[in-house]
Amino acid sequence: MDESADIARAVVKTTCPYCGTGCGVDVTVDGDHAKVAGDKEHPTNYGRLCVKGTALGDTVVAQGRLLYPQIRDADGVMVRRSWDEALDHVAARLQGIVDEHGRDAIAWYVSGQLLTEDYYVANKLVKGFVGTANIDTNSRLCMSSAVAGHKRAFGEDIVPVSYDDLELADLIVLVGSNTAWCHPILFQRIVREKERRPEMKIVVIDPRRTATTEMADLHLPLRAGADVRLFNGLLTYLNQHGIVDTAFIERSTSGLKEALDAAEAGGADVRAVAEQCGLDAGQLAEFYRLFAVTERVVTCFSMGVNQSSAGTDKVNAIINCHLLSGRIGKPGAGPFSLTGQPNAMGGREVGGLSNMLAAHMDLESAADRDTVQTFWSSPAIADKPGLKAVDLFDAIDEGRIKAVWIMATNPVVSLPDADKVKRALARCELVIVSDVIEKTDTTAFAHVLLPAQGWGEKDGTVTNSERCISRQRAFVAPLGEARADWWMLAEVARRWGFAAQFAYQDASDIFDEHARLSAWRNDGSRYFDIGGLAGLGTAGYDALQPVRWPVTASVEAAALQAFADGRYYHTDGRARFIATPPRAPVNPVDDEYPLVLNTGRVRDHWHTMTRTGLSATLASHIAEPYVDLHAQDALLSGVSDGTLARVSTRWGSLVARVKISGEMPRGTLFVPIHWNAQYASDARVGGLVNPVVDPVSGEPEFKHTPAKVEAFTVAWHGFVLSRDALPMETHSWWTRVTGAQFNRYELAGRDTDADWPNLARAALGANSNADWLEYEDRSAGLYRAALLVDERIEACIFVSQRSDLPSRAWLSGLFAKDVLSEPDRIGLLVGEPLEAAEDQGPTVCSCWGVGRNRIIDGIRKHGLTTVAALGEKLQCGTNCGSCVPELKVLLAQSRVAA
Ligand code: SF4
């Protein structure tokens, strides 16, 4: 019996690879399908999964995988090579560049998708053996402002709150966080607690109305970028009203006067603060009052705080309020950074950012460098911070960095000013990409491609937002020649003569070294200490249960509240108030670009869709890239709901479907981050985002780029459903959506004289065994065709000069049939089903495939008034619960309509 067969039969406990909530997952492999369920014993989710987690099984497929190493030849063609050839090439080329240009001429750009063990080896190799700190991570784009804020306030990057604290809090403040969509299981924990204790209050501070705000007692739609002003106002208010923990401040903090002076400089009057924040003064005063009268307050913050040119100050403005009121280091109280990625926290533990060192040590401290270098027995150690993400790609563009190894991330999509990133990679002498997927916007620029193991194949650990370390365990054998990221790095190290320092047999060896380093020369000087997890051995590591750090050699210290003893990790043992004078966003709107572009996630997709894009279930919620804006801004811009629009900034432009959701305040736009060249012709929002960064953290300003919107006028609309993926170059605008048994392409074009029969045959393929059903009415600008093989539909295309095309839901159903009936065939030619079929409308509940129209119909027909009643009648909302906020909105809208 071989090892892969053993893996295939087992039920494996692992961790969801998406958001920083870090849910436990039980996987059972059944044939070639991975069945996924929530892990009932995991302390994060207790058996629940959101819709993305529930659909994880759809993504464990061979489709699109990078299967073997490849090197680009002299003609620019990628050629398959053995691992030895590829790694020899990588080691020799990198060494050659270092010899000629110095160690700072090579760089790594890694990812919060890496497991802690991969992350640890990458940082050890680069900082300790290459001797440069030019290794940064896509976590720079996500939570580096939180890291910088924690370090400024606490002396170490420590998240002082756990998920349990959310259930102990009497007031939860959610700032710049659409928690309902971006951390759904965490949000469900909050909602359940609110249902249990209705007196618990939820305040959401966000310019947008979102699924999260629907559950709030109070929503403060502040002006974009005004967060520091709002929390400075709170600091002043608390001070004025005597909500000051004097004993704690005297014993455990410093810097209060400077912070108060800076806060009061902007005006101490609530009405003035409200005006500056664009808020109703009464509502702002109510928030300040709630904070003041509630002992147990947790303030959760996420990308709306971090992704800003004042991100670090925003974090510290929040922390200042908790320090002043003493609402920290106690159950149910404290500031809580919600991390975006599954292992952003693990990356922080190993010094994943270019200005950090392993085990929470400081790159700029000679003592810390000596500790790490001695422990690693390394020949050299970086002695100055490396380049942060945006600067790193600027250095590539300018030729200062000659080689970059990109691991598990897609910077051509995700970085700001992403067209510049494209240009930089096109100019770079050597681009190495290790990834799971062969064709991404970034792998297109690779000179060397290295196949990495995917979720389900990898073995290691991740750490979630509340510092809980969980095992990610392999449950399928690696596809093709995919290998662990740490193995590739260790093999390069071996070729450079460092075999002894990288002699890992498996991930448990690396974790053991990581745990020992955290405890070495620590003696309580660093809160991050997992020395108690050293020496587990392979069996102990395999059996490791979720555990929050610190775990010292003698005790699981995390059982105690962080900072409960009033001790912080600056050299004087005190926390610091930080003065945070408010700053406006660097690029203000103007007459040419009068709107503020905000970017973020949608409920059912993750990052650049390399995984979620494979799932028909997940694709059904929001199928297309869109731009959401206020109805009046739409009117002034000459666009309307459902049409196409061009969104432009000084850095780039895209085309997306207009959505007027009613959730956007005047003067702002929202565009999702997910779509890229693999899924749409022209929807990569990273190309539009200004490359401005926070001066302390280097985190880019993803939430505030001046922009404008214009109509994108087209001559025709169309769509294709096809069992096979199709080339789309001939159409001026397209987007691809994964269906259950087909690919769907939404199309639009500006050419007025398209030869549809020819284009359809070119696009759908000339199959001599195929039957063509075809209808054209040139005067009406209509064309339809379907391709049938052995009575089964293979593809169909519908084009019209008008946008009222047939229901995709009806046509999708035909792909489930082995043989089309006569009425089906006639329906294809007529362009509508002969028998009326229900049009469910856009999907709301992805788990059970329940659409908006059906829900509204159900509410009306059956007089349903609660989510529970909807679930009983239609099943929606009864599985993962991710759609519950949307169901509540539909119920509320129906009440208003009635
Ligand atoms: Fe995964 Fe959803 Fe849990 Fe996040 S909330 S870890 S996406 S299951």
Side-chain angles (χ1 to χ4, degrees):
M1 185 72 56
D2 69 12
E3 191 187 335
S4 59
D6 278 346
I7 291 173
R9 276 206 308 274
V11 176
V12 177
K13 284 192 183 299
T14 184
T15 314
C16 174
Y18 294 126
C19 81
T21 303
C23 297
V25 176
D26 283 350
V27 183
T28 316
V29 178
D30 182 5
D32 57 3
H33 182 66
K35 288 202 293 191
V36 169
D39 177 355
K40 291 191 169 60
E41 290 155 13
H42 198 286
T44 293
N45 53 317
Y46 299 104
R48 298 184 77 91
L49 292 175
C50 77
V51 63
K52 288 192 288 287
T54 304
L56 268 168
D58 296 353
T59 69
V60 185
V61 292
Q63 187 185 333
R65 285 290 299 270
L66 174 61
L67 295 174
Y68 43 79
Q70 299 172 36
I71 298 177
R72 199 175 292 282
D73 70 8
D75 298 323
V77 177
M78 295 305 287
V79 178
R80 180 175 180 170
R81 296 297 182 93
S82 70
W83 267 111
D84 270 341
E85 287 171 323
L87 293 168
D88 287 349
H89 179 80
V90 166
R93 287 291 317 274
L94 290 176
Q95 185 65 58
I97 290 170
V98 169
D99 291 345
E100 192 177 345
H101 301 285
R103 54 184 56 149
D104 290 335
I106 65 174
W108 272 253
Y109 186 61
V110 302
S111 164
Q113 302 289 313
L114 291 178
L115 303 184
T116 300
E117 292 73 5
D118 302 317
Y119 239 138
Y120 177 87
V121 175
N123 273 277
K124 177 176 171 180
L125 177 67
V126 179
K127 288 178 181 148
F129 291 79
V130 178
T132 177
N134 280 344
I135 173 166
D136 210 38
T137 158
N138 63 7
S139 295
R140 177 73 64 194
L141 317 181
C142 154
M143 52 70 213
S144 56
S145 295
V147 173
H150 291 157
K151 288 193 75 170
R152 289 204 305 189
F154 308 142
E156 189 178 336
D157 175 24
I158 297 165
V159 173
V161 174
S162 75
Y163 296 160
D164 291 346
D165 287 312
L166 294 170
E167 281 145 3
L168 296 171
D170 295 317
L171 169 63
I172 294 177
V173 187
L174 298 163
V175 195
S177 168
N178 185 4
T179 324
W181 279 18
C182 300
H183 298 86
I185 292 299
L186 200 54
F187 187 69
Q188 288 178 25
R189 281 181 67 161
I190 295 172
V191 169
R192 275 201 302 282
E193 188 58 25
K194 170 84 177 160
E195 283 164 2
R196 200 178 72 78
R197 284 190 297 130
E199 68 277 13
M200 180 181 108
K201 298 285 184 238
I202 301 173
V203 176
V204 179
I205 301 172
D206 193 322
R208 285 196 298 154
R209 192 160 64 75
T210 65
T212 306
T213 62
E214 298 305 326
M215 314 296 274
D217 295 287
L218 179 61
H219 171 210
L220 299 178
L222 88 169
R223 184 171 291 134
D227 313 55
V228 169
R229 190 69 201 90
L230 186 147
F231 281 94
N232 279 356
L234 175 60
L235 192 77
T236 306
Y237 179 96
L238 295 173
N239 189 47
Q240 284 173 340
H241 290 78
I243 312 300
V244 178
D245 189 336
T246 310
F248 165 72
I249 289 165
E250 283 177 3
R251 191 181 66 244
S252 295
T253 71
S254 64
L256 174 60
K257 183 176 179 321
E258 293 79 358
L260 276 175
D261 287 350
E264 285 166 6
D269 177 59
V270 175
R271 270 174 309 203
V273 178
E275 199 176 317
Q276 289 163 32
C277 296
L279 291 170
D280 175 84
Q283 289 195 329
L284 184 64
E286 173 59 7
F287 166 55
Y288 286 179
R289 187 193 67 78
L290 276 173
F291 198 106
V293 301
T294 312
E295 281 290 333
R296 293 185 165 197
V297 183
V298 174
T299 306
C300 303
F301 58 92
S302 192
M303 300 314 138
V305 167
N306 295 334
Q307 292 180 329
S308 161
S309 57
T312 310
D313 278 356
K314 289 183 185 181
V315 172
N316 286 113
I318 292 168
I319 293 173
N320 284 346
C321 296
H322 280 271
L323 290 173
L324 184 78
S325 55
R327 284 164 194 165
I328 190 165
K330 297 170 182 165
F336 194 0
S337 152
L338 304 181
T339 50
Q341 297 197 79
N343 200 29
M345 185 71 84
R348 287 144 79 167
E349 293 162 10
V350 302
L353 294 162
S354 61
N355 51 326
M356 293 165 67
L357 202 50
H360 281 205
M361 280 181 268
D362 256 322
L363 197 55
E364 287 168 278
S365 153
D368 284 356
R369 288 200 304 273
D370 178 64
T371 296
V372 176
Q373 188 176 3
T374 308
F375 182 86
W376 281 343
S377 302
S378 78
I381 192 147
D383 58 2
K384 63 178 191 304
L387 295 170
K388 300 181 175 110
V390 171
D391 294 340
L392 191 147
F393 281 88
D394 282 351
I396 295 172
D397 189 45
E398 290 158 15
R400 287 180 285 128
I401 288 179
K402 314 276 182 198
V404 62
W405 185 340
I406 297 165
M407 310 187 83
T409 186
N410 201 351
V412 170
V413 182
S414 52
L415 273 170
D417 196 6
D419 289 343
K420 187 176 184 183
V421 174
K422 256 184 170 177
R423 190 180 71 203
L425 291 180
R427 286 177 177 174
C428 190
E429 260 183 65
L430 177 62
V431 178
I432 304 156
V433 181
S434 40
D435 206 307
V436 174
I437 299 295
E438 182 168 18
K439 290 196 188 322
T440 72
D441 292 32
T442 299
T443 59
F445 293 90
H447 301 104
V448 182
L449 283 175
L450 302 175
Q453 292 175 353
W455 182 75
E457 300 165 0
K458 298 208 270 196
D459 208 24
T461 55
V462 290
T463 310
N464 69 7
S465 294
E466 62 157 357
R467 314 191 316 262
C468 180
I469 298 170
S470 294
R471 286 279 280 111
Q472 206 173 93
R473 298 181 173 92
F475 55 83
V476 288
L479 275 178
E481 297 178 12
R483 301 298 303 249
D485 291 276
W486 66 258
W487 177 87
M488 302 174 205
L489 294 155
E491 282 295 307
V492 170
R494 191 170 64 78
R495 283 162 172 78
W496 284 341
F498 306 123
Q501 294 98 325
F502 289 84
Y504 309 115
Q505 296 303 306
D506 57 29
S508 74
D509 287 347
I510 304 165
F511 185 80
D512 183 64
E513 184 177 309
H514 170 51
R516 284 189 289 110
L517 174 58
S518 75
W520 203 55
R521 295 186 188 169
N522 187 330
D523 302 322
S525 61
R526 304 186 300 273
Y527 191 64
F528 176 68
D529 182 345
I530 54 169
L533 301 175
L536 293 175
T538 307
Y541 179 73
D542 282 346
L544 181 65
Q545 296 300 306
V547 58
R548 291 186 70 222
W549 59 258
V551 190
T552 64
S554 56
V555 65
E556 186 186 325
L560 309 170
Q561 193 88 34
F563 308 144
D565 55 1
R567 178 173 168 242
Y568 292 82
Y569 289 82
H570 285 295
T571 46
D572 60 3
R574 290 168 175 268
R576 289 192 188 145
F577 286 93
I578 304 295
T580 55
R583 281 179 280 129
V586 172
N587 287 309
V589 296
D590 53 28
D591 288 347
E592 197 181 350
Y593 295 98
L595 304 168
V596 173
L597 170 65
N598 181 3
T599 66
R601 290 181 177 147
V602 301
R603 193 190 77 187
D604 290 3
H605 277 306
W606 177 256
H607 282 194
T608 61
M609 296 167 69
T610 50
R611 276 180 303 214
T612 52
L614 297 169
S615 167
T617 304
L618 298 179
S620 66
H621 182 235
I622 294 176
E624 288 183 306
Y626 67 89
V627 50
D628 195 356
L629 74 169
H630 191 278
Q632 281 173 290
D633 291 323
L635 199 64
L636 290 172
S637 304
V639 300
S640 55
D641 198 35
T643 61
L644 291 175
R646 181 172 291 286
V647 184
S648 310
T649 72
R650 291 198 165 82
W651 292 267
S653 75
L654 58 75
V655 176
R657 189 80 62 192
V658 172
K659 180 173 171 181
I660 302 175
S661 67
E663 295 172 352
M664 300 301 295
R666 280 295 311 270
T668 63
L669 309 172
F670 179 83
V671 176
I673 60 172
H674 310 288
W675 277 267
N676 56 74
Q678 315 308 311
Y679 283 92
S681 56
D682 194 7
R684 198 167 41 97
V685 75
L688 278 67
V689 174
N690 51 191
V692 170
V693 299
D694 178 272
V696 183
S697 69
E699 181 152 351
E701 181 132 78
F702 282 104
K703 304 288 189 186
H704 197 292
T705 304
K708 65 181 173 188
V709 173
E710 299 155 298
F712 182 80
T713 310
V714 296
W716 54 267
H717 306 262
F719 67 87
V720 169
L721 303 181
S722 168
R723 291 190 193 274
D724 296 324
L726 300 173
M728 278 292 119
E729 290 84 27
T730 51
H731 306 288
S732 63
W733 182 87
W734 61 267
T735 180
R736 175 159 70 94
V737 189
T738 301
Q741 282 131 323
F742 54 86
N743 293 279
R744 176 177 133 205
Y745 300 88
E746 293 292 326
L747 315 170
R750 309 186 94 162
D751 50 328
T752 47
D753 56 354
D755 179 347
W756 281 106
N758 262 337
L759 284 176
R761 280 177 168 76
L764 304 190
N767 183 334
S768 56
N769 296 324
D771 283 342
W772 274 93
L773 301 178
E774 200 169 22
Y775 172 86
E776 185 175 21
D777 180 344
R778 279 225 155 245
S779 58
L782 282 176
Y783 177 79
R784 323 177 177 122
L787 183 70
L788 272 56
V789 175
D790 296 335
E791 315 268 314
R792 191 176 86 142
I793 188 166
E794 291 298 312
C796 61
I797 181 167
F798 286 77
V799 181
S800 170
Q801 285 176 355
R802 302 189 337 191
S803 58
D804 54 344
L805 290 157
S807 156
R808 281 67 158 174
W810 157 60
L811 288 160
S812 305
L814 300 185
F815 281 77
K817 298 185 175 185
D818 286 336
V819 174
L820 291 195
S821 65
E822 195 56 29
D824 289 336
R825 288 164 162 261
I826 296 169
L828 279 170
L829 284 173
V830 176
E832 59 184 59
L834 292 192
E835 289 149 11
E838 182 191 34
D839 180 5
Q840 288 220 37
T843 301
V844 174
C845 173
S846 303
C847 294
W848 299 113
V850 188
R852 190 172 193 277
N853 296 349
R854 196 163 154 223
I855 294 166
I856 293 171
D857 208 39
I859 293 170
R860 283 201 196 121
K861 268 194 195 143
H862 304 289
L864 308 176
T865 55
T866 63
V867 171
L870 273 172
E872 206 168 301
K873 194 80 196 162
L874 304 174
Q875 269 191 302
C876 50
T878 57
N879 187 38
C880 74
S882 297
C883 64
V884 167
E886 286 155 88
L887 297 179
K888 290 196 171 176
V889 172
L890 292 176
L891 284 164
Q893 285 172 346
S894 296
R895 272 198 296 277
V896 171

